Amino acid sequence: MKETFLKQGFAKFPSFIDSEEVARIGLIYDEILEDLESASHLRSDLSGEGTVGVEKITQIMCPSSISTNLKKSKTYKQALKQAQHLLGSDMALDFDMLINKRPYTDTPTPLHQDAAYWIKMPDKRAVSCWIAIDPAIEENGCMWFIPREKLEVVPHSAAIPGAALSCELSTEQAVCIPLKAGGATFHDGFTPHFSKGNTTEFHRRALILNFRPKAMIDLERSMGIDHQGERKVRNK
Ligand SMILES: O=C(O)CCC(=O)C(=O)O
């Protein structure tokens, strides 16, 4: 898995957490998702269209700052261990987020590279662990990745101010990664990815943890970046 990740920028981990842990995380997830008040400053609609209550793709940044039980969970410990295995023992949790695609909202997450959202860093190592809390399939918005070669960011922009960033690249080589609940993918900041809309009657809940070298997190924080603010292109 490490070899695949380093070569193409992403890898699949079919059984990352067990069903009991999925259920535990799922309960915390739903509490945060349903609580419109405490998370309001961390919450937005990736589609750029919705307001709270009619969201299509709900993104809640730093859920572990709302429920401290998340950070203590097996999931967070295991994801950190895996990130360190993939990229080195200095990897630490930079930020986490929930992304939920509501039933029948049919709104894709556009093709992008995560590094477009981040400042340019001297040490480019970073890995996102995307954990399926519900089964993820093409029809509800599982992840698609394009194998990457270079550690470079192409130009990005947002279709609507405040919406998710997108870029223009061919998706001919994109690989669809369905997962059962508890499965995960790992991708780096340069790997282009997207997901299709949710056309099913069920929610598509994903929990995402991002790791990078501790020194780079310190650099970000010294520049006031904590991943809780405005969504925009930073990698200029
Ligand atoms: O969950 C999604 O639809 C997109 C997730 C994503 O872009 C990411 O984890 O970097």
Side-chain angles (χ1 to χ4, degrees):
M1 189 220 157
K2 181 171 176 174
E3 202 181 316
T4 309
F5 171 80
L6 294 176
K7 184 162 174 258
Q8 61 179 21
F10 67 94
K12 175 174 174 171
F13 212 124
S15 302
F16 187 64
I17 52 173
D18 62 35
S19 52
E20 282 174 15
E21 179 70 358
V22 172
R24 269 193 292 272
I25 297 287
L27 283 178
I28 302 175
Y29 198 113
D30 289 344
E31 262 176 41
I32 296 174
L33 201 58
E34 282 156 23
D35 178 357
L36 298 181
E37 304 232 319
S38 356
S40 64
H41 59 297
L42 300 169
R43 183 175 188 128
S44 64
D45 188 339
L46 266 181
S47 77
E49 291 170 18
T51 52
V52 171
V54 290
E55 296 154 329
K56 293 179 171 159
I57 313 174
T58 307
Q59 181 180 48
I60 299 179
M61 298 307 294
C62 305
S64 60
S65 69
I66 303 165
S67 169
T68 46
N69 283 335
L70 282 176
K71 261 201 189 138
K72 292 183 220 146
S73 70
K74 248 184 7 198
T75 302
Y76 277 57
K77 289 184 186 142
Q78 211 160 296
L80 173 62
K81 205 168 139 197
Q82 191 59 30
Q84 292 178 336
H85 170 65
L86 293 173
L87 288 176
S89 58
D90 58 340
M91 301 303 284
L93 181 69
D94 184 2
F95 64 92
D96 51 348
M97 58 182 166
L98 312 183
I99 299 186
N100 180 47
K101 293 198 169 196
R102 284 171 179 263
Y104 299 125
T105 44
D106 198 8
T107 307
T109 306
L111 178 66
H112 67 282
Q113 298 166 287
D114 291 340
Y117 286 102
W118 307 333
I119 53 165
K120 279 194 175 142
M121 307 220 197
D123 185 335
K124 301 190 186 321
R125 288 175 296 150
V127 56
S128 290
C129 168
W130 190 101
I131 305 166
I133 306 302
D134 299 299
I137 55 172
E138 182 170 354
E139 293 74 18
N140 71 359
C142 70
M143 292 284 267
W144 291 69
F145 296 100
I146 302 177
R148 63 107 189 87
E149 284 169 13
K150 298 182 189 151
L151 302 186
E152 280 172 11
V153 183
V154 300
H156 283 68
S157 60
I160 311 173
L165 298 182
S166 65
C167 64
E168 284 181 25
L169 285 171
S170 162
T171 52
E172 219 171 280
Q173 306 291 325
V175 185
C176 176
I177 313 279
L179 290 169
K180 60 180 188 176
T185 53
F186 287 77
H187 66 273
D188 70 25
F190 299 96
T191 305
H193 56 280
F194 64 95
S195 64
K196 296 187 178 179
N198 183 2
T199 56
T200 73
E201 64 186 296
F202 304 107
H203 286 263
R204 190 236 61 184
R205 294 170 298 170
L207 169 64
I208 299 127
L209 278 66
N210 177 274
F211 300 91
R212 71 177 74 248
K214 172 78 174 61
M216 295 301 102
I217 299 174
D218 292 344
L219 175 68
E220 285 183 319
R221 300 296 184 268
S222 73
M223 297 171 74
I225 291 170
D226 60 3
H227 302 277
Q228 298 185 19
E230 196 190 348
R231 195 158 35 229
K232 63 176 186 184
V233 178
R234 291 197 171 78
N235 199 293
K236 286 188 185 143

